Amino acid sequence: MPDETVTAAEPGVGTPNVERDIEDEEEKEAEQARDVEKGGVPVATGAEEVSGGKEERDPNMISWDGPDDPLNPQNWSFGQKWAAMGIVSVFTFMSPLSSSMVAPALPQISRDLGITGDPTLSSMTLSIFVLGFAVGPLVLGPLSEIYGRVRVLQLANLFFLIFNIAGGFAQSKGQMMAFRFLSGFGGGGPIALGGGVLGDMFLPEQRGLAQALYSLGPLSGPAIGPMISGFIVQSIDWRWIFWITSIVDGVIQVLGLILLRETYAPKLLGDKVRRLKRETGNDKLYSVYDKHDRSMRAILSRGMVRPFIFLGTEPLCQIIGTYMALMYGVLYLLLTTFAELWVTEYGESSGIAGLNYLAIGAGYTAGSQIGAWLIDATYRRMKVKNNDIGLPEFRIPIILVSAPISVLGLILYGWTAQYKVFWFVPDLGVFIYGMGTLSAWLAIQTYLVDTYTLYAASAIAATALYRSLLGFAFPLFANQMYAAMGQGWANTMLAFITLIIGVPAPLVFLKYGHKLRERSSMARKSRIIR
């Protein structure tokens, strides 16, 4: 695929300096990505110079040792890839699990910490964790470009662990809010970096199954958390919700120290350059990724500004972000009110009520398995029909089925809960909703990785920021909305809002996605040889 040159904005035409500097750096990053893809042997700095029909290459520039270099994470063995992906997926499971585990305990927490008479403030005890999710990736994502994926993942999880433990010792609502926000900030690390780890190791046609495993965490964690905590609250005390999850997360932290290996190419090649300098004494050696400014200031500036550029200038991210934000907001809205429905309307104990969350978890599991298989199968079939050229839009067709399915599930749940139909039927509705939601989620995540390969972490951070803000905001009005409208009309309204975005969006991507990518500077710069 021929390289495309994207001209940065000229000085003096109204583009802010910071944005112009970012665009200049992106040009260099895009050039580096193409260099690395050229058989593992980078071209010389600057334009390609041809002499006698051969490209002149800088012998001091270090890249992969050919396409089969075992140092390249894409060449790791099956066991090495899935061990790393498994640990990252468990990390992405634990923090969302903790985000929702307080749902069944909100009445006890409100009573013990003096959060009474204000349902919005009580709901914020749950949702402020998700606000930390929104902020964390903006800092942790860029830091991973300096120190590598693994070090930032481990430190972010340790940060989450410390403040999750502290949550169990909170003595006031102020302490609880602060500890929950800070633990959410650390928990945002795996959410921000997991997609990057996936893109580091797996080729496009292999990403469906890996994305299914990775995406199960952010979505099934919030569904399973209240199921476990219902029995903890009923049998012990709400403070043990924090301490038990911290014990489990501590074990995972230790496993991560043993099994996780670095996957970020600039970090791996930077380590290789330092090793070769020691061995050869040649101080002129440098990595293909060192052709631009990789200082902390430059990387943090690009990494923290770029997600906002994505949300402000990329129609693809804006449409996808809106749909993902709605799905995430509805999920946390359901989580906030789900336990109360079964306790107050069906007369179940908190422990038994928590078992109903199994329906959401089962739906997500089914959606991940079926969705991953369909996404990969559809991608391979459409790629063959397209002269063996894969396109990101080949991930989209499944949404045309999964979006209406999730809407039907939400309506079934709402009206059967409204009339207190036998518990199996509203649980079936939640199962169907979860299955459709996760299938759509998988397709969207893999579409982002395929479209913005070089900037996948920034694209995911942009949509994560958007969805986390709605995940924080939606629960704040959940009690008032359901009290005013009832389960039936409230869930029907949410289903309708989701439907008017969830069905037209994939049609737009299928028909105009390639044109939107051609007009997108970020997508063009991210284009690499497949």
Side-chain angles (χ1 to χ4, degrees):
M1 185 178 292
D3 295 345
E4 296 186 43
T5 302
V6 183
T7 305
E10 294 295 331
V13 294
T15 303
N17 288 336
V18 63
E19 185 172 338
R20 186 167 63 249
D21 292 343
I22 290 172
E23 289 181 355
D24 291 341
E25 292 300 329
E26 286 166 352
E27 284 294 326
K28 297 174 184 177
E29 290 174 359
E31 180 187 346
Q32 291 157 12
R34 292 189 287 267
D35 288 349
V36 174
E37 288 295 316
K38 291 177 181 292
V41 183
V43 297
T45 304
E48 296 179 6
E49 299 177 5
V50 181
S51 176
K54 295 184 179 180
E55 296 173 351
E56 295 181 3
R57 310 182 191 279
D58 187 344
N60 291 319
M61 184 187 291
I62 303 301
S63 185
W64 305 121
D65 295 334
D68 299 319
D69 187 348
L71 183 65
N72 187 340
Q74 293 194 349
N75 295 324
W76 288 358
S77 68
F78 178 88
Q80 289 173 319
K81 288 183 179 181
W82 284 102
M85 201 67 236
I87 291 295
V88 172
S89 298
V90 177
F91 276 154
T92 62
F93 172 78
M94 285 305 300
S95 50
L97 179 87
S98 300
S99 74
S100 64
M101 284 189 79
V102 301
L106 287 178
Q108 294 92 324
I109 293 174
S110 298
R111 182 189 64 237
D112 292 352
L113 302 184
I115 314 174
T116 55
D118 189 344
T120 300
L121 194 59
S122 178
S123 297
M124 193 181 294
T125 305
L126 182 148
S127 66
I128 197 169
F129 189 100
V130 187
L131 187 62
F133 271 175
V135 179
L138 298 178
V139 177
L140 299 172
L143 285 177
S144 73
E145 295 189 29
I146 303 169
Y147 301 108
R149 313 273 195 214
V150 170
R151 189 177 300 178
V152 175
L153 270 172
Q154 294 283 17
L155 289 176
N157 189 68
L158 181 62
F159 194 86
F160 156 75
L161 182 59
I162 290 170
F163 286 102
N164 194 60
I165 294 172
F169 292 99
Q171 298 299 317
S172 68
K173 60 185 177 183
Q175 289 179 359
M176 176 59 75
M177 296 295 179
F179 294 152
R180 289 280 289 168
F181 174 80
L182 291 171
S183 59
F185 179 93
I191 304 298
L193 304 182
V197 172
L198 184 151
D200 291 341
M201 295 189 296
F202 294 95
L203 297 172
E205 56 268 25
Q206 302 169 333
R207 287 178 189 151
L209 184 59
Q211 188 68 56
L213 178 63
Y214 165 65
S215 294
L216 262 179
L219 287 172
S220 65
I224 294 173
M227 179 188 70
I228 301 170
S229 63
F231 286 102
I232 296 175
V233 172
Q234 180 177 307
S235 304
I236 316 175
D237 182 72
W238 64 264
R239 296 183 185 275
W240 279 96
I241 293 174
F242 296 91
W243 298 333
I244 289 174
T245 53
S246 296
I247 291 169
V248 175
D249 191 67
V251 173
I252 298 168
Q253 180 92 12
V254 173
L255 289 175
L257 291 171
I258 299 170
L259 296 176
L260 266 183
R261 295 175 55 192
E262 185 57 63
T263 65
Y264 189 51
K267 177 68 167 60
L268 291 170
L269 292 176
D271 293 343
K272 180 179 179 180
V273 167
R274 286 187 286 273
R275 174 175 56 81
L276 290 175
K277 282 182 177 180
R278 289 194 303 268
E279 293 175 357
T280 65
N282 182 1
D283 290 332
K284 295 182 180 179
L285 296 176
Y286 64 99
S287 162
V288 63
Y289 291 99
D290 290 336
K291 294 195 294 181
H292 72 299
D293 187 357
R294 293 192 58 78
S295 67
M296 179 179 291
R297 177 182 175 277
I299 290 175
L300 284 175
S301 296
R302 291 195 305 271
M304 295 183 73
V305 171
R306 190 180 287 147
F308 292 99
I309 294 176
F310 267 89
L311 282 179
T313 64
E314 291 289 308
L316 292 174
C317 260
Q318 291 163 355
I319 298 172
I320 286 175
T322 300
Y323 185 45
M324 292 184 77
L326 278 172
M327 287 194 292
Y328 212 62
V330 170
L331 169 63
Y332 272 88
L333 191 149
L334 287 177
L335 293 175
T336 305
T337 59
F338 202 55
E340 184 180 357
L341 167 72
W342 298 106
V343 173
T344 60
E345 300 297 330
Y346 283 77
E348 297 177 352
S349 66
S350 60
I352 298 300
L355 291 177
N356 291 283
Y357 285 93
L358 277 172
I360 304 178
Y364 286 152
T365 302
S368 70
Q369 299 304 308
I370 298 171
W373 179 79
L374 285 175
I375 289 168
D376 280 349
T378 303
Y379 185 91
R380 287 192 294 267
R381 185 171 63 253
M382 296 182 74
K383 181 179 178 181
V384 169
K385 291 182 179 180
N386 195 41
N387 297 320
D388 209 34
I389 299 174
L391 298 176
E393 286 74 31
F394 296 166
R395 309 288 189 186
I396 296 299
I398 191 175
I399 304 180
L400 291 171
V401 178
S402 59
I405 285 177
S406 64
V407 166
L408 290 174
L410 197 58
I411 293 173
L412 176 63
Y413 161 70
W415 286 107
T416 53
Q418 174 83 26
Y419 291 104
K420 301 179 186 177
V421 178
F422 180 59
W423 63 266
F424 177 80
V425 185
D427 275 352
L428 177 63
V430 169
F431 170 85
I432 294 171
Y433 166 76
M435 183 171 63
T437 296
L438 189 62
S439 298
W441 189 282
L442 286 179
I444 290 171
Q445 288 281 82
T446 47
Y447 179 80
L448 283 174
V449 172
D450 286 0
T451 300
Y452 300 107
T453 310
L454 186 61
Y455 306 123
S458 294
I460 291 172
T463 55
L465 171 65
Y466 199 178
R467 73 170 187 257
S468 295
L469 290 175
L470 262 68
F472 164 71
F474 268 39
L476 300 183
F477 60 81
N479 292 312
Q480 296 91 323
M481 183 183 75
Y482 281 111
M485 302 180 67
Q487 291 284 343
W489 284 114
N491 285 294
T492 299
M493 181 189 70
L494 293 172
F496 177 74
I497 294 172
T498 305
L499 183 67
I500 61 177
I501 296 177
V503 172
L507 294 174
V508 170
F509 289 139
L510 285 172
K511 188 169 183 179
Y512 302 108
H514 66 288
K515 293 182 180 179
L516 291 173
R517 284 190 292 106
E518 289 297 326
R519 294 175 183 176
S520 164
S521 61
M522 293 290 187
R524 289 201 306 271
K525 295 168 190 173
S526 297
R527 184 180 298 159
I528 60 175
I529 299 171
R530 295 181 183 274

